[in-house]
């Protein structure tokens, strides 16, 4: 059953990605609504899979890389659906669903097994800390997608190449707005994730902060986004600069999430 | 019943003919009433715009109907039919349906894809509905035409791009700013193109206009016209940062705004984007301005290129639109043919039932010792025989309604059983819709 849901999610995300990519280059509005429904269906199946895992493991399925990648993918799609509903920006799906699909596909590389949890980590903080962190990550992924779209659209406008994709992409101001809004959600979530992590660390390991690689890199990520938000609010870093920083921030965040686990060793290296 | 179209348009008649044949929107009741008073014209709609005058009508007699409507057009406008006739076109059957679908979808317009025509036909239909000159067929026909036009608009990009330089500028601004309602336009210098573009921006809801000119009086005059404010030309750089969209067309022999000037301007704007449109020849704005972050510079040639590309795109989209029209014609024609089917079926059943009931009554009158139970059974038995007999022709007719031979069957049945059918009632048609 779990396998069916898992591969079902993968398959539907694959179809959704194809539909969104086709929507990006083909001027057919029907493709957009088809893609939206496919991805929504994928989200439901994915949520069902996550729930099934939850009941099977008896805890939030977020303790090994397989589960984390899948959960990250789930939050990205969920946050995207909310943004699409609120800001009517379905073309964002062409840039965000491929990421969700890639993360899902990457999760196949890691064992699906359910491992016993280190007793020290058994705590409600597990849910709070990780879910909040992933919601923050998902918002940064939206900012990343909007940033890429901004750079593409800006290039079209500067070079005066006004083709089908230019028509499809929203205005620069709107993309900049999405970038900003996703940060205003993502940044507080990341802040809360770091604080809750520190509190949890104190109860589990007896110290708030131990400069574990994950902690260090989370802090670096936090500084990148803090700088971006600060620049935006004070000196008006908007448009191109904001887009580039949101893209850079995404890669730093990705390293915090994946690189640290795969390349560095520390308290957070679950595999 | 046949749909016919008689009319003239920018393609067949010059404006001096068109204006003579136009109908005043204030007085539509009289011509519409006159039209449906013509023998054998059952329904009529008049579409009258500055580019076309057309009459859509229903009739049993195609040639006669067309001739009578032509005569009506000439008489009503007190013109000689001989001079008018060479400008008139007429369509019937599938061609009439195609024509109206194309007109509504703006495929027959002077500027293909322009959106006004659909509204004009809706208005025309409104008059016909108000003065009751349209009935079941034209109602359905026009609603179908509206839905075809809607399909064309949503499924093709025929009307999605600007085909004038001024509109192209507005569209570009929308791709930079999204919302124009809090944006300010600045005009530097004056000129027809510049003013036209400014008007378009105002019509599209920009918040305000600033005008500057070497001759301050001129700036003041334009500012007054646009409800904006005039700025001394020497103060240009004190105000430039307040403008989001800049339209420039001075007669200056060299550039008046360069990338260096914009550094300070952008700092004061906190990097909010700026959109420069340089209409002047020679240029007013250094092309390097386009390289400044968050600044976009378009010359009039750039805009012209956008317009040319859009026109080409419209031509390509028009092909897709024609395909949509083709699909929808088939569907509507099917419905039109099926109109005759339901009344025929109803009449056939009525005829059979009438005979059955008459014979049943005769039989029962002479059959005194039959129990009420027996009477009921006899009634049921004859009804069953009738239904069994009627089933094959009924289903054949319904199927023929989806093919092409429906007229043949309808005529044969009417002749064979001496059926008389009136005009179809709205209620009869529900089950055959779509």
């Amino acid at each position: 059953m779990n396998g069916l849901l898992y591969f079902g999610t993968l398959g539907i995300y694959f179809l959704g990605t194809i539909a969104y990519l086709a929507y990006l280059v083909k001027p057919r509005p029907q493709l957009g609504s088809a893609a939206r429904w496919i991805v929504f269906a994928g989200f439901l199946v994915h949520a069902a899979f996550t729930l099934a895992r939850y009941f099977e493991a008896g805890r939030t399925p977020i303790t090994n890389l397989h589960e984390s990648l899948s959960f990250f993918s789930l939050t990205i799609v969920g946050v995207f659906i909310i943004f699409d509903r609120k800001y009517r920006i379905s073309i964002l799906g062409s840039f965000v669903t491929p990421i969700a699909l890639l993360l899902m596909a990457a999760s196949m590389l890691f064992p699906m097994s359910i491992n016993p949890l280190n007793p020290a980590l058994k705590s409600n903080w597990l849910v709070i800390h990780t879910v909040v962190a992933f919601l923050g990550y998902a918002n940064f992924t939206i900012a990343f997608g909007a940033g890429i779209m901004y750079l593409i659209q800006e290039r079209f406008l500067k070079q005066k190449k006004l083709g089908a994709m230019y028509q499809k992409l929203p205005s620069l101001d709107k993309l900049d707005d999405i970038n900003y809004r996703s940060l205003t959600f993502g940044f507080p979530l990341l802040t809360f994730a770091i604080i809750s992590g520190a509190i949890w660390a104190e109860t589990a390991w007896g110290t708030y902060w131990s400069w574990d690689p994950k902690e260090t890199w989370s802090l670096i990520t936090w500084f990148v986004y803090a700088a971006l938000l600060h620049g935006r609010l004070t000196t008006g870093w908007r448009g191109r600069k904001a887009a580039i920083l949101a893209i850079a921030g995404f890669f730093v965040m990705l390293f915090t999430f994946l690189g640290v686990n795969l390349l560095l060793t520390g308290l957070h290296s679950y595999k | 019943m046949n749909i016919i179209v008689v009319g003239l348009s920018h393609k067949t008649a010059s404006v001096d003919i068109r204006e003579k044949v136009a109908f005043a929107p204030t007085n539509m009741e009289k011509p519409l009433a006159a039209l449906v008073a013509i023998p054998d014209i059952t329904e009529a709609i008049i579409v009258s715009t500055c580019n076309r005058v057309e009459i859509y009508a229903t009739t049993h007699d195609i040639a006669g109907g067309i001739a009578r409507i032509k005569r009506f057009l000439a008489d009503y406008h007190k013109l000689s039919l001989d001079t008018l006739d060479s400008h008139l076109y007429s369509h019937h059957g599938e061609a009439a349906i195609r024509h109206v679908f194309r007109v509504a979808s703006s495929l027959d317009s002077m500027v293909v894809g322009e959106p006004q025509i659909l509204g004009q036909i809706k208005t025309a239909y409104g008059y016909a509905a108000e003065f009751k000159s349209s009935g079941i067929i034209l109602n359905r026909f026009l609603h179908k035409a509206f839905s075809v036009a809607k399909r064309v608009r949503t499924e093709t990009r025929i009307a999605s791009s600007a085909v004038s330089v001024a509109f192209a500028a507005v569209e570009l601004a929308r791709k930079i700013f999204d919302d124009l309602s809090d944006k300010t336009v600045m005009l530097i210098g004056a000129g027809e193109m510049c003013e036209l573009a400014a008007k378009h921006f105002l019509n599209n809801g920009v918040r305000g206009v600033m005008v500057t000119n070497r001759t301050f009086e001129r700036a003041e005059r334009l500012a007054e016209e646009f409800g904006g404010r005039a700025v001394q030309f020497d103060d240009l750089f004190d105000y430039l940062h307040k403008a989001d969209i800049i339209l420039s067309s001075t007669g200056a022999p060299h550039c008046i705004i360069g990338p260096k000037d914009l550094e300070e301007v952008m700092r004061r704007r906190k990097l909010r984007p700026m959109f420069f449109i340089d209409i002047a020849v020679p240029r007013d704005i250094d092309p390097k301005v386009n390289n400044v972050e968050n600044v976009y510079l378009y010359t009039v040639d750039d805009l012209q290129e956008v317009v040319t590309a859009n026109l080409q795109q419209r031509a390509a989209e028009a092909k897709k639109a024609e395909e949509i029209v083709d699909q929808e014609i088939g569907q509507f024609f099917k419905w039109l043919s099926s109109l005759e089917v339901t009344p025929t079926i109803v009449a056939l059943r009525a005829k059979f039932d009438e005979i059955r009931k008459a014979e049943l009554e005769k039989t029962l009158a002479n059959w005194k010792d039959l129990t009420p139970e027996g009477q009921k059974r006899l009634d049921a038995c004859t009804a069953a025989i009738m239904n069994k007999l009627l089933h094959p022709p009924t289903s054949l007719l319904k199927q023929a309604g989806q093919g092409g031979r429906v007229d043949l069957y309808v005529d044969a049945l009417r002749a064979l059983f001496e059926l008389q059918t009136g005009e179809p009632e709205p209620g009869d048609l529900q089950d055959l819709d779509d």
Side-chain angles (χ1 to χ4, degrees):
Chain A
M1 182 63 185
N2 278 1
L4 192 70
L5 289 172
Y6 176 73
F7 287 104
T9 306
L10 252 175
I12 301 173
Y13 282 173
F14 181 71
L15 286 178
T17 301
I18 300 239
Y20 265 124
L21 291 181
Y23 176 53
L24 185 63
V25 289
K26 292 265 179 203
R28 291 210 181 281
Q30 308 95 298
L31 272 172
S33 52
R36 182 188 283 136
W37 282 111
I38 296 172
V39 168
F40 187 65
F43 177 75
L44 294 181
V45 177
H46 199 168
F49 166 71
T50 309
L51 270 179
R53 287 283 285 196
Y54 174 86
F55 287 117
E56 195 182 335
R59 58 176 163 72
T60 318
I62 204 162
T63 55
N64 63 27
L65 260 181
H66 171 84
E67 291 174 342
S68 306
L69 282 163
S70 165
F71 195 79
F72 186 16
S73 175
L74 178 77
T75 50
I76 288 175
V77 177
V79 170
F80 160 65
I81 289 170
I82 293 169
F83 266 84
D84 186 20
R85 273 196 72 89
K86 203 147 166 57
Y87 303 107
R88 293 271 137 226
I89 181 164
S90 56
I91 197 76
L92 182 64
S94 307
F95 295 83
V96 172
T97 42
I99 300 174
L101 174 69
L102 278 178
L103 290 168
M104 265 320 256
S107 74
M108 280 200 292
L109 301 174
F110 301 97
M112 222 175 146
S113 58
I114 295 171
N115 306 325
L117 189 63
N118 182 342
L121 297 179
K122 261 197 187 128
S123 151
N124 283 335
W125 286 112
L126 169 71
V127 186
I128 297 167
H129 171 67
T130 49
V131 169
V132 167
F134 278 114
L135 281 175
Y137 288 177
N139 275 286
F140 295 142
T141 310
I142 299 288
F144 167 76
I148 297 271
M149 287 161 82
Y150 187 97
L151 291 186
I152 294 175
Q153 185 70 317
E154 191 212 24
R155 203 181 154 81
F156 284 145
L157 277 162
K158 285 270 190 193
Q159 303 197 336
K160 307 174 171 72
K161 293 207 173 91
L162 312 179
M165 209 206 259
Y166 156 83
Q167 304 270 5
K168 202 58 81 57
L169 288 171
S171 67
L172 293 178
D173 264 5
K174 184 156 187 182
L175 291 169
D176 197 44
D177 190 44
I178 299 286
N179 183 330
Y180 175 60
R181 279 171 201 271
S182 51
L183 288 186
T184 58
F185 296 123
F187 187 71
L189 287 166
L190 177 66
T191 310
F192 185 76
I194 291 175
I195 293 170
S196 65
I199 296 169
W200 184 20
E202 209 276 331
T203 52
W205 302 322
T207 164
Y208 285 108
W209 198 267
S210 43
W211 294 107
D212 159 74
K214 190 80 160 191
E215 293 169 358
T216 312
W217 277 94
S218 298
L219 205 60
I220 294 173
T221 312
W222 188 86
F223 273 117
V224 171
Y225 286 113
L228 173 49
L229 268 177
H230 177 78
R232 218 179 224 293
L233 296 173
T234 56
T235 44
W237 280 2
R238 63 177 77 232
R240 186 180 172 77
K241 242 186 215 112
I244 292 174
L245 268 168
I247 294 165
F250 176 77
F251 285 110
V252 175
M253 175 207 89
L254 214 56
F255 186 78
T256 307
F257 167 52
L258 280 179
V260 170
N261 285 12
L262 294 173
L263 306 174
L264 308 172
T265 50
L267 294 165
H268 277 86
S269 30
Y270 42 85
K271 281 185 183 159
Chain B
M1 193 59 69
N2 300 286
I3 292 176
I4 54 175
V5 172
V6 177
L8 49 74
S9 74
H10 58 94
K11 289 184 177 162
T12 61
S14 60
V15 67
D16 52 303
I17 303 277
R18 297 205 299 271
E19 66 188 8
K20 277 185 197 135
V21 187
F23 291 86
T26 46
N27 178 25
M28 291 304 283
E29 188 169 8
K30 206 175 117 202
L32 285 170
L35 268 171
V36 284
I38 298 174
D40 201 26
I41 298 292
T42 42
E43 300 178 29
I45 289 176
I46 298 174
V47 175
S48 181
T49 76
C50 47
N51 279 336
R52 70 179 66 242
V53 174
E54 292 183 341
I55 291 172
Y56 311 150
T58 56
T59 178
H60 285 107
D61 168 17
I62 294 169
I66 288 173
R68 282 189 280 268
I69 288 177
K70 282 184 175 177
R71 166 60 55 198
F72 161 81
L73 270 174
D75 290 352
Y76 190 85
H77 296 290
K78 303 192 173 58
L79 301 165
S80 107
L81 184 55
D82 294 340
T83 49
L84 190 59
D85 201 31
S86 61
H87 299 289
L88 290 173
Y89 46 78
S90 61
H91 303 289
H92 62 89
E94 209 177 297
I97 298 169
R98 177 186 308 275
H99 179 80
V100 176
F101 284 4
R102 290 186 77 245
V103 170
S105 309
S106 191
L107 291 169
D108 198 49
S109 301
M110 200 181 261
V111 178
V112 170
E114 58 91 8
Q116 284 93 337
I117 183 66
L118 183 60
Q120 289 162 336
I121 297 182
K122 281 185 175 165
T123 310
Y125 172 64
Y127 289 128
E130 187 184 343
F131 301 122
K132 307 224 161 35
S133 72
S134 72
I136 173 162
I137 293 177
L138 286 190
N139 286 349
R140 174 76 178 231
F141 181 40
L142 269 287
H143 281 128
K144 190 71 198 174
F146 302 150
S147 83
V148 172
K150 192 177 169 209
R151 245 194 95 187
V152 165
R153 222 177 23 208
T154 53
E155 290 179 28
T156 75
R157 290 186 301 159
I158 194 155
S160 69
S161 51
V163 286
S164 76
V165 165
F167 256 121
V170 172
E171 267 189 6
L172 274 164
R174 283 237 171 83
K175 279 291 191 186
I176 296 170
F177 299 115
D178 209 62
D179 182 14
L180 297 183
S181 66
D182 57 349
K183 300 297 180 287
T184 301
V185 174
M186 185 175 211
L187 270 85
I188 306 175
E192 204 183 328
M193 185 87 96
C194 212
E195 288 164 34
L196 184 70
K199 266 182 206 141
H200 269 92
F201 275 112
L202 275 172
N203 288 341
N204 282 276
V206 294
R207 186 181 54 187
V209 178
M210 290 190 285
V211 186
T212 184
N213 199 301
R214 279 192 206 276
T215 348
F216 187 63
E217 290 72 40
R218 197 140 179 222
E220 276 183 318
R221 213 168 47 229
L222 260 184
E224 199 181 331
E225 189 184 323
F226 290 135
R229 71 180 284 188
V231 171
Q232 293 280 358
F233 193 76
D234 291 337
D235 298 339
L236 172 62
F237 287 103
D238 294 329
Y239 287 90
L240 195 57
H241 70 280
K242 292 184 180 170
D244 305 283
I245 299 155
I246 297 94
L247 297 158
S248 187
S249 73
T250 71
H254 49 78
C255 294
I256 56 168
I257 297 172
K260 277 267 174 300
D261 304 315
L262 284 186
E263 277 173 22
E264 171 64 12
V265 170
M266 288 310 278
R267 198 185 54 73
R268 289 173 81 168
R269 285 177 62 77
K270 286 194 165 182
L271 280 171
R272 274 181 291 124
M274 284 181 105
F275 179 27
F276 286 87
I277 301 155
D278 189 352
I279 297 171
V281 181
R283 291 163 168 242
D284 278 343
I285 299 162
D286 190 328
K288 288 197 200 79
V289 160
N290 195 41
N291 300 335
V292 177
E293 193 172 316
N294 295 352
V295 176
Y296 303 87
L297 167 64
Y298 278 71
T299 66
V300 73
D301 285 357
D302 296 331
L303 294 177
Q304 191 56 56
E305 257 177 61
V306 172
V307 168
T308 311
N310 286 350
L311 282 171
Q312 282 167 357
Q313 185 201 301
R314 278 198 182 196
E317 293 298 310
K319 274 195 197 131
K320 279 191 223 161
E322 300 279 3
E323 283 167 25
I324 292 175
V325 167
D326 278 345
Q327 293 165 14
E328 300 280 351
I329 287 171
Q331 271 193 19
F332 182 77
F333 207 60
K334 216 187 282 173
W335 175 79
L336 194 62
S337 333
S338 75
L339 268 188
E340 317 266 315
V341 168
T342 310
T344 307
I345 293 174
V346 171
L348 188 66
R349 290 193 68 89
K351 182 104 185 177
F352 272 49
D353 209 38
E354 191 188 314
I355 295 168
R356 179 182 76 88
K357 287 213 172 102
E359 291 304 317
L360 194 62
E361 226 165 83
K362 261 194 252 169
T363 309
L364 292 179
N366 301 325
W367 195 343
K368 299 283 184 232
D369 52 347
L370 189 65
T371 61
E373 172 66 19
Q375 287 183 13
K376 234 185 246 168
R377 284 191 181 190
L378 198 58
D379 184 61
C381 168
T382 51
I385 292 170
M386 181 191 82
N387 284 335
K388 286 245 162 79
L389 281 173
L390 276 177
H391 180 72
T394 306
S395 59
L396 184 72
L397 261 185
K398 279 188 177 163
Q399 277 164 20
Q402 291 154 23
R405 293 149 74 197
V406 62
D407 289 355
L408 189 75
Y409 290 131
V410 166
D411 288 348
L413 276 171
R414 284 180 180 173
L416 284 171
F417 294 101
E418 297 173 324
L419 301 178
Q420 278 177 346
T421 55
E423 289 303 313
E425 297 287 324
D428 293 345
L429 305 165
Q430 298 309 320
D431 55 334
L432 285 167
D433 275 10
D434 302 313

